[in-house]
Amino acid sequence: MFQTPKLWLWIAVLSCHLIHRVASRTQPHVIMIMIDDQGYNERSSRNPEFRTPVMDRLESQSVRLTRMYMQPSCSMSRAAWMTGRYPHTMGIEQPFQGYDNRASNWPLRGKKSTVFEGGTLVPAFMYSRVLFPDAPRDYNGLLHVTDLPVTIINLANNSTTPVVIPNVDGKNQWLAIKQNGSSKRDKMVYQMWLDVGAVRVGQFKLVYHKRGPCSGWQNPLSGVNTTLPENVDDCKGYMLFDLNNDPYEINDLSKDPQYTQQMSIVMNYFNKEKARRIPAQISGMDPNMPGAGADWTPGWCDAANSA
């Protein structure tokens, strides 16, 4: 039985797909599609239990962005996409924490609303028969959702002279992607909540949990046996991962003396970004919003405001 990915607008963005259709060489039309709550494995190119033929066909003719990162939730991803700025610099938090999502991100660690790779690394691609005559191919440079508005503006400008966008965290990655060159970024912020945060510098990733358990490795594909836990009981403090050699975030290197220098470098960047954090402007979930499993129907906002 084939399954269809579930789309819930209020759950974390786990997939971003870019489809570029060009009417002329000088004025490209750009269509961007962001799919909410689609697990890393929930497409037929990776999991035969799902049927996504149109997506697979486009991807097979595209530039596949293999290291594309979104924010851990849909609201923050949209904010980053529209502004080119990290959400923690705008006072944007995720007000829908607490809902579970059983989407399969295996073998990545983590799920929605977490700073692990399973909650942030997404399958993505760019399609254009004119702009990418060398497709299909992979682009392996580091990309972040804040790069998308700056990159697409420069794509639409279709010039070798870059359009400079002030006061943004995003990088113009257009020529890097088009020419299969080096990424314009070597560091990024996954998210900077008050009690949880993560950043990356080069191949090293620092994760911070103030207290308690954190996400493990969930929902392996059918037939896969694993001893990795779904949740890790005690994640208090800092964790350091070498994503080049440990993309599934299994081995914490934070207390290994061989990685003291790397720990110092990534910690300095973490503290720098933490200092940019603006307190949340939305303190939590409105109790009058539809609850878990409820339908978000037209008129819910007026009803909540009048409650």
Side-chain angles (χ1 to χ4, degrees), residues 59 185 260:
E59 184 183 27
R185 70 162 61 247
T260 300

Side-chain angles (χ1 to χ4, degrees), residues 234-252:
D234 186 8
C235 295
K236 182 179 180 181
Y238 294 94
M239 295 170 275
L240 182 69
F241 301 103
D242 178 350
L243 293 181
N244 281 8
N245 296 301
D246 180 23
Y248 311 134
E249 299 169 289
I250 298 173
N251 302 308
D252 177 14

Side-chain angles (χ1 to χ4, degrees), residues 67 139-144 147 171-173 176-177 180-187:
R67 296 169 70 197
Y139 179 70
N140 299 317
L142 183 62
L143 302 171
H144 188 264
D147 300 338
K171 307 293 184 182
N172 173 18
Q173 304 279 16
I177 296 171
N180 204 20
S182 299
S183 171
K184 299 302 180 182
R185 70 162 61 247
D186 63 352
K187 58 176 69 75

Side-chain angles (χ1 to χ4, degrees), residues 88-165:
H88 72 278
T89 69
M90 300 183 285
I92 295 174
E93 295 278 2
Q94 164 64 351
F96 304 118
Q97 295 175 14
Y99 291 106
D100 195 15
N101 172 19
R102 302 301 295 177
S104 176
N105 303 311
W106 180 268
L108 302 177
R109 181 177 182 176
K111 58 182 181 179
K112 78 176 186 73
S113 297
T114 75
V115 295
F116 293 106
E117 297 294 284
T120 53
L121 179 64
V122 298
F125 59 83
M126 299 179 72
Y127 169 79
S128 171
R129 288 176 294 179
V130 175
L131 297 177
F132 300 114
D134 59 341
R137 61 174 170 86
D138 290 344
Y139 179 70
N140 299 317
L142 183 62
L143 302 171
H144 188 264
V145 59
T146 55
D147 300 338
L148 295 181
V150 184
T151 299
I152 291 176
I153 287 171
N154 278 273
L155 177 157
N157 188 52
N158 198 24
S159 171
T160 56
T161 303
V163 177
V164 178
I165 312 297

Side-chain angles (χ1 to χ4, degrees), residues 33 50 67 129 133 156 160 165 179 213 218 228-230 281 287 291 299:
I33 301 176
F50 290 84
R67 296 169 70 197
R129 288 176 294 179
T160 56
I165 312 297
Q179 299 172 1
Q218 303 177 352
L228 293 172
E230 286 198 356
Q281 304 303 301

Side-chain angles (χ1 to χ4, degrees), residues 127-300:
Y127 169 79
S128 171
R129 288 176 294 179
V130 175
L131 297 177
F132 300 114
D134 59 341
R137 61 174 170 86
D138 290 344
Y139 179 70
N140 299 317
L142 183 62
L143 302 171
H144 188 264
V145 59
T146 55
D147 300 338
L148 295 181
V150 184
T151 299
I152 291 176
I153 287 171
N154 278 273
L155 177 157
N157 188 52
N158 198 24
S159 171
T160 56
T161 303
V163 177
V164 178
I165 312 297
N167 302 318
V168 295
D169 297 300
K171 307 293 184 182
N172 173 18
Q173 304 279 16
W174 170 232
L175 290 181
I177 296 171
K178 184 179 181 180
Q179 299 172 1
N180 204 20
S182 299
S183 171
K184 299 302 180 182
R185 70 162 61 247
D186 63 352
K187 58 176 69 75
M188 56 169 269
V189 179
Y190 288 82
Q191 178 52 24
M192 195 63 68
W193 284 303
L194 186 61
D195 294 340
V196 178
V199 299
R200 174 176 181 163
V201 179
Q203 69 195 65
F204 290 95
K205 175 179 180 178
L206 184 74
V207 176
Y208 169 72
H209 268 256
K210 185 174 182 179
R211 65 176 70 87
C214 65
S215 187
W217 299 263
Q218 303 177 352
N219 303 321
L221 297 180
S222 178
V224 174
N225 295 318
T226 179
T227 59
L228 293 172
E230 286 198 356
N231 296 287
V232 178
D233 292 336
D234 186 8
C235 295
K236 182 179 180 181
Y238 294 94
M239 295 170 275
L240 182 69
F241 301 103
D242 178 350
L243 293 181
N244 281 8
N245 296 301
D246 180 23
Y248 311 134
E249 299 169 289
I250 298 173
N251 302 308
D252 177 14
L253 306 173
S254 61
K255 296 178 176 60
D256 189 328
Q258 297 182 65
Y259 294 93
T260 300
Q261 182 178 5
Q262 290 86 350
M263 185 73 178
S264 176
I265 292 171
V266 74
M267 181 69 78
N268 287 338
Y269 179 55
F270 181 94
N271 290 333
K272 177 182 177 181
E273 288 295 339
K274 185 178 180 180
R276 298 178 66 204
R277 183 181 180 274
I278 295 177
Q281 304 303 301
I282 301 176
S283 59
M285 183 173 179
D286 187 327
N288 296 310
M289 291 179 180
D295 293 330
W296 290 67
T297 57
W300 76 265

